[in-house]
C-alpha cells in the first residue's frame, strides 16, 4: 500500500538529509533478529545480511531460475539513484518484508518497494569538505537489525536509521576524517552487535575492528590491528593486539602502521569466530619498515565476546606491493576421506588462493589463481611466501640520488589478482567462483614522511595489461587447486558473484553486462546490458513463489582512479546509478 508523501522534510540538520517519500506502516515490518541473520542463507524470502548469510558464501538454495529457463529472465523494474552522484555503485541490496535497502555513492541510502520499484525514503549524509576516501566515493551496503538500517559514511560516521522512515536514530564517530579515516564497508551484525572495520591505510591510519550495541551504538569493544596499540572492552583497556611495540616493526612506524580493516568481515557460528582481513602496512615503501609488520596484510580470527585475536594468518609478511589482506574469508566444510574439515577459503590480492583450518588458522593448502606471479616463487609448508630475490622494488637509499629506488615489473598489480569483489561458493559443485584480474605493474619506491591527512605511500606505479584480456571469472576447486573453467573479459572484473542451486553463477562486467553462467561448465546462459558498468554484488530471493534477482549498475571504484594504462582502455564506459530487478515471466 502506497503511503502518504512528505516532501523535503528536514530530518537531520547535523548529519544529513532524509527525504521521506513514503512512511511504511508498522505492521509491514518484523524486527530483524540474530536468528534471522544466522539463518539468512536458508530463508529464501529475504536477504538480511551482506553475503547471503554470515559466512559470506553468496549461495542461494533457490532453483526456480535454472540453466533451462534463465534465458527468459527479464527486468521487472529499474530504480535510478538519481542526481549527479552516479559514480561507483558497489552496494549489495538487502531485502526484508517487501522493502529493498541499498546504498549509493557519496553515502546515500534508499528504501525501495520491491513490488513496484517506487522509492519509500532516501537518506543523504551531509558530508564535510575535505573527505579523503582512497578509492572512490563508494559504499558497499547496509546492515539491518531490529528496526534499524545501519551504514558507514565517507567521513567515518556510523549511522543507524529508522527502518520505516529513514530518520536518524543514532550516529557514532569511528575516526577523524581529517586524518584519512573513512568507512565504505557494509557493517556486520554478530550477537546483537554491529561490527565494523575502518578505511584509510593509504593515509597512515591505525586499523581497528569495533563492536557496538546495534540498538544504541554504544561501544562494547575495540581491537586495533597493529602491534603496540591498546584494545578496549566495556570502556577499559584489555591488552594490546599481540606482541609489543617494535616486535615486528621498526622505530615508531607502528604508530602510523595502516592495516586498515576496510572491507569488513564474515562470521562463522560453528566456531563462534569473526574473520576480518587487514590492509597494507604504511607506508608502501617496505624498506622503511623491516619486519613482518603484524597484523597488516593478514586474516584475523576474533572472539566476538571480547575482541581478542584468537589466531592470525599473514598472507604477505613485510608487504611491499600494497597487496593487503582484506579479502573475505568464507567458511565451508569439505570431506577428506571420512573426516569433515572445517575450512575457510580466501583469494588474496597477492595472487594466491588459501585454504585454512578455520578453528585454529593452520595452513592446509595454497595455490596461485592468476598467471605469472613474480614477487614470490611459491608458498612454504606453512603458507608463508618464498620471496623472489628480484621481486621487490628497490630501496631509494641504494640509488645515487636517493630519490627513487630501482623500478621493477611486478605481477599481479597492486589492485590484485582479486580485490574487494566477493567470490561465491556453491554447496552443489563444491567450487569457488573467483572474480580475478590478470595484470602487472611497474613499481618503484620513493622517500616519504608521515604527515597527518596526506597520502603516505612512498611508492610510484603504473598498471599495465599483460594479456588480451584482464578480467577472468574462475571456477576453482579448493581441494585440488584445479581451474575447472574460466570466463575471460577484456576489461577488469570489479563486481561480486552469486551462485544458486539452479546451477547458475551470476556476475557483472564494466561493459555493463549481467552474465549468467552454467555453474558446472562455465557456459554463458544469460546476458543483459544494464547501460553502465556493474561493480555491485547480485542477490536473489523469492516472493509469492517467484524468484527475483537484483544488482546495482554504475561504473566507478578504484580502477578508473588507479588503473594506469588499464584505465585508459576503459575511459569511455558510462557512469550510472540504477538498481535492476529481474524475474521469469509469469507462466
Amino acid at each position: 500500500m502506497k503511503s502518504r508523501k512528505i516532501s523535503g522534510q528536514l530530518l537531520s540538520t547535523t548529519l544529513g538529509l532524509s527525504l521521506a517519500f513514503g512512511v511504511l506502516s508498522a505492521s509491514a515490518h518484523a524486527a530483524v533478529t540474530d536468528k534471522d541473520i544466522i539463518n539468512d542463507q536458508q530463508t529464501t524470502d529475504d536477504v538480511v545480511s551482506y553475503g547471503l548469510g554470515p559466512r559470506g558464501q553468496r549461495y542461494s538454495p533457490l532453483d526456480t531460475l535454472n540453466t533451462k529457463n534463465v534465458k527468459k529472465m527479464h527486468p521487472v523494474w529499474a530504480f535510478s539513484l538519481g542526481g549527479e552522484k552516479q559514480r561507483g555503485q558497489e552496494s549489495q541490496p538487502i531485502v526484508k518484508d517487501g522493502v529493498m535497502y541499498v546504498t549509493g555513492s557519496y553515502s546515500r541510502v534508499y528504501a525501495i518497494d520491491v513490488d513496484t520499484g517506487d522509492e519509500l525514503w532516501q537518506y543523504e549524509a551531509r558530508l564535510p569538505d575535505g573527505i579523503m576516501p582512497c578509492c572512490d566515493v563508494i559504499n558497499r551496503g547496509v546492515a539491518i537489525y531490529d528496526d534499524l538500517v545501519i551504514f558507514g559514511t565517507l567521513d567515518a560516521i556510523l549511522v543507524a536509521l529508522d527502518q520505516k522512515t529513514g530518520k536518524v536514530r543514532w550516529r557514532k564517530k569511528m575516526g577523524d576524517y581529517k586524518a584519512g579515516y573513512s568507512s565504505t564497508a557494509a557493517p556486520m551484525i554478530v550477537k546483537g552487535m554491529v561490527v565494523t572495520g575502518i578505511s584509510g591505510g593509504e593515509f597512515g591510519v591505525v586499523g581497528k575492528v569495533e563492536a557496538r550495541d546495534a540498538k544504541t551504538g554504544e561501544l562494547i569493544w575495540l581491537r586495533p590491528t597493529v602491534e603496540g596499540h591498546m584494545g578496549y572492552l566495556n570502556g577499559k583497556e584489555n591488552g594490546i593486539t599481540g606482541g609489543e611495540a617494535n616486535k615486528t616493526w621498526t622505530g615508531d612506524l607502528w604508530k602510523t602502521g595502516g592495516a586498515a580493516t576496510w572491507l569488513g568481515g564474515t562470521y562463522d557460528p560453528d566456531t563462534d569466530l569473526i574473520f576480518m582481513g587487514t590492509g597494507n602496512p604504511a607506508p608502501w615503501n617496505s624498506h622503511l619498515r623491516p619486519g613482518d609488520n603484524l597484523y597488516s596484510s593478514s586474516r584475523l580470527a576474533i572472539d566476538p565476546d571480547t575482541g581478542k585475536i584468537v589466531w592470525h594468518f599473514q598472507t604477505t609478511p613485510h608487504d611491499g606491493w600494497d597487496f593487503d589482506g582484506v579479502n573475505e574469508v568464507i567458511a565451508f566444510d569439505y570431506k577428506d576421506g571420512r573426516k569433515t574439515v572445517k575450512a575457510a577459503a580466501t583469494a588474496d590480492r597477492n595472487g594466491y588462493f588459501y585454504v585454512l583450518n578455520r578453528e585454529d588458522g593452520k595452513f592446509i593448502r595454497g595455490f596461485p589463481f592468476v598467471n605469472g606471479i613474480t614477487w614470490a616463487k611459491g608458498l612454504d609448508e606453512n603458507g608463508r611466501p618464498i620471496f623472489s630475490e628480484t621481486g621487490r622494488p628497490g630501496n631509494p637509499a641504494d640509488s645515487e640520488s636517493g630519490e627513487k629506488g630501482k623500478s621493477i615489473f611486478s605481477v599481479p598489480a597492486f589492485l590484485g589478482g582479486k580485490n574487494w569483489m566477493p567470490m561465491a561458493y556453491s554447496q552443489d559443485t563444491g567450487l569457488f567462483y573467483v572474480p580475478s584480474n590478470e595484470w602487472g605493474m611497474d613499481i618503484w619506491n620513493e622517500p616519504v614522511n608521515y604527515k597527518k591527512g596526506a597520502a603516505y605511500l612512498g611508492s610510484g606505479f603504473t598498471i599495465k595489461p599483460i594479456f588480451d584480456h584482464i578480467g577472468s571469472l574462475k571456477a576453482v576447486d579448493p581441494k585440488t587447486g584445479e581451474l575447472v573453467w574460466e570466463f575471460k573479459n577484456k576489461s577488469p572484473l570489479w563486481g561480486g558473484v552469486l551462485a544458486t542451486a539452479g546451477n547458475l553463477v551470476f556476475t557483472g562486467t564494466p561493459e555493463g553486462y549481467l552474465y549468467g553462467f552454467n555453474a558446472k561448465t562455465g557456459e554463458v546462459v544469460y546476458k543483459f546490458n544494464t547501460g553502465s558498468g556493474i561493480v555491485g554484488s547480485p542477490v536473489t530471493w523469492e516472493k509469492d513463489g517467484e524468484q527475483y534477482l537484483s544488482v546495482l549498475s554504475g561504473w566507478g571504484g578504484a580502477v578508473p582512479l588507479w588503473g594506469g594504462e588499464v584505465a585508459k582502455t576503459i575511459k569511455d564506459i558510462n557512469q550510472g546509478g540504477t538498481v535492476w530487478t529481474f524475474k521469469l515471466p509469469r507462466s
Side-chain angles (χ1 to χ4, degrees):
M1 183 179 71
K2 192 77 174 181
S3 55
R4 65 187 177 92
K5 294 185 177 180
I6 305 174
S7 179
Q9 180 181 358
L10 186 64
L11 300 178
S12 173
T13 56
T14 58
L15 176 64
L17 186 64
S18 177
L19 300 178
F21 293 108
V23 181
L24 307 178
S25 63
S27 61
H29 285 281
V32 178
T33 66
D34 292 281
K35 183 178 180 181
D36 293 334
I37 293 167
I38 294 295
N39 294 329
D40 192 23
Q41 194 170 49
Q42 290 75 41
T43 55
T44 55
D45 60 342
D46 57 26
V47 179
V48 296
S49 63
Y50 188 77
L52 283 75
R55 295 177 180 87
Q57 291 184 351
R58 297 187 178 272
Y59 169 83
S60 171
L62 285 172
D63 60 3
T64 303
L65 272 172
N66 53 62
T67 52
K68 294 180 180 178
N69 62 23
V70 70
K71 281 183 168 57
K72 299 178 182 178
M73 188 174 74
H74 66 282
V76 290
W77 54 260
F79 174 84
S80 173
L81 303 188
E84 297 177 355
K85 299 176 179 178
Q86 308 232 5
R87 181 171 141 190
Q89 313 302 345
E90 292 187 0
S91 180
Q92 178 216 285
I94 294 289
V95 180
K96 176 65 174 173
D97 294 331
V99 181
M100 178 182 293
Y101 305 94
V102 298
T103 56
S105 51
Y106 291 97
S107 306
R108 297 173 292 165
V109 183
Y110 302 81
I112 306 166
D113 186 317
V114 299
D115 289 325
T116 64
D118 291 340
E119 181 175 292
L120 300 169
W121 54 257
Q122 177 188 156
Y123 173 84
E124 184 170 342
R126 193 181 297 277
L127 297 171
D129 294 333
I131 57 171
M132 291 179 287
C134 151
C135 307
D136 212 358
V137 289
I138 59 92
N139 189 283
R140 298 187 178 94
V142 304
I144 58 174
Y145 188 73
D146 195 44
D147 61 348
L148 299 174
V149 178
I150 306 169
F151 85 116
T153 68
L154 288 170
D155 56 341
I157 303 292
L158 192 63
V159 183
L161 306 173
D162 186 283
Q163 196 178 69
K164 295 185 291 293
T165 66
K167 291 184 179 181
V168 174
R169 294 272 289 274
W170 57 257
R171 56 188 296 269
K172 300 294 180 180
K173 182 178 178 179
M174 294 187 288
D176 179 6
Y177 74 90
K178 294 179 181 178
Y181 286 96
S182 60
S183 177
T184 56
M188 175 173 51
I189 302 295
V190 179
K191 295 184 172 183
M193 300 179 294
V194 54
V195 179
T196 57
I198 199 73
S199 301
E202 273 62 54
F203 297 96
V205 305
V206 174
K208 60 180 177 176
V209 185
E210 292 185 354
R212 297 177 179 271
D213 185 305
K215 294 183 180 181
T216 67
E218 293 305 310
L219 185 66
I220 296 174
W221 55 258
L222 182 153
R223 173 53 50 203
T225 52
V226 177
E227 281 183 334
H229 295 271
M230 192 67 66
Y232 292 85
L233 175 64
N234 297 322
K236 298 179 181 178
E237 292 184 354
N238 74 326
I240 57 177
T241 60
E244 64 269 357
N246 303 129
K247 186 175 182 181
T248 63
W249 291 81
T250 300
D252 289 338
L253 284 170
W254 60 275
K255 295 180 180 179
T256 51
T261 48
W262 57 265
L263 187 55
T266 56
Y267 171 69
D268 175 37
D270 290 346
T271 57
D272 191 25
L273 291 173
I274 293 168
F275 301 127
M276 188 74 68
T278 63
N280 59 281
W284 287 16
N285 183 346
S286 61
H287 299 282
L288 296 176
R289 43 172 175 76
D292 283 356
N293 310 135
L294 289 173
Y295 290 96
S296 69
S297 300
S298 299
R299 307 308 197 276
L300 309 180
I302 298 175
D303 182 340
D305 297 320
T306 65
K308 177 184 176 181
I309 296 175
V310 177
W311 57 257
H312 76 275
F313 183 86
Q314 192 172 39
T315 48
T316 313
H318 195 211
D319 186 351
W321 306 267
D322 186 40
F323 283 149
D324 278 25
V326 299
N327 289 358
E328 72 281 4
V329 176
I330 298 179
F332 74 109
D333 296 339
Y334 70 89
K335 288 288 187 180
D336 183 5
R338 294 184 178 181
K339 180 183 178 183
T340 297
V341 179
K342 291 187 178 298
T346 186
D348 200 90
R349 269 166 66 169
N350 69 19
Y352 287 94
F353 190 104
Y354 299 83
V355 180
L356 309 175
N357 183 312
R358 68 179 187 266
E359 297 176 295
D360 57 17
K362 298 296 184 183
F363 177 73
I364 297 175
R365 69 183 61 88
F367 45 86
F369 65 94
V370 294
N371 295 295
I373 293 172
T374 61
W375 67 278
K377 300 175 183 178
L379 305 175
D380 69 16
E381 67 275 9
N382 296 313
R384 187 179 177 91
I386 303 167
F387 291 111
S388 169
E389 294 85 355
T390 58
R392 187 180 297 271
N395 188 349
D398 294 337
S399 67
E400 290 185 8
S401 66
E403 294 300 315
K404 182 179 178 180
K406 180 182 178 181
S407 178
I408 64 165
F409 185 72
S410 181
V411 177
F414 75 90
L415 288 179
K418 175 187 171 300
N419 204 277
W420 76 274
M421 51 280 190
M423 62 185 180
Y425 172 73
S426 170
Q427 297 180 4
D428 303 312
T429 65
L431 302 177
F432 280 89
Y433 301 94
V434 185
S436 66
N437 290 303
E438 307 273 5
W439 45 18
M441 64 178 173
D442 291 326
I443 182 170
W444 58 92
N445 286 323
E446 303 166 344
V448 67
N449 293 304
Y450 173 77
K451 180 181 179 182
K452 180 181 176 179
Y456 190 40
L457 303 184
S459 290
F461 45 83
T462 301
I463 295 181
K464 298 178 177 181
I466 52 179
F467 302 119
D468 60 358
H469 72 283
I470 300 170
S472 170
L473 180 65
K474 293 180 167 74
V476 175
D477 187 332
K479 295 188 290 184
T480 65
E482 178 190 1
L483 176 62
V484 177
W485 59 258
E486 178 182 13
F487 171 78
K488 297 177 180 179
N489 195 67
K490 182 177 180 180
S491 61
L493 295 183
W494 211 252
V497 184
L498 170 71
T500 78
N503 192 35
L504 292 169
V505 171
F506 293 96
T507 196
T509 69
E511 292 88 348
Y513 286 102
L514 172 67
Y515 277 99
F517 303 90
N518 183 309
K520 295 177 181 177
T521 67
E523 177 191 359
V524 175
V525 293
Y526 185 79
K527 185 178 179 181
F528 177 87
N529 198 309
T530 63
S532 181
I534 295 176
V535 293
S537 297
V539 297
T540 189
W541 79 97
E542 65 179 344
K543 188 174 188 295
D544 300 328
E546 296 184 287
Q547 184 178 351
Y548 292 79
L549 184 142
S550 291
V551 68
L552 264 80
S553 169
W555 176 237
V559 176
L561 298 177
W562 295 76
E565 292 185 12
V566 169
K568 297 176 184 177
T569 68
I570 52 179
K571 62 182 177 59
D572 294 327
I573 293 176
N574 292 325
Q575 293 182 337
T578 303
V579 184
W580 288 88
T581 294
F582 305 80
K583 74 175 184 68
L584 291 172
R586 288 186 182 272
S587 56

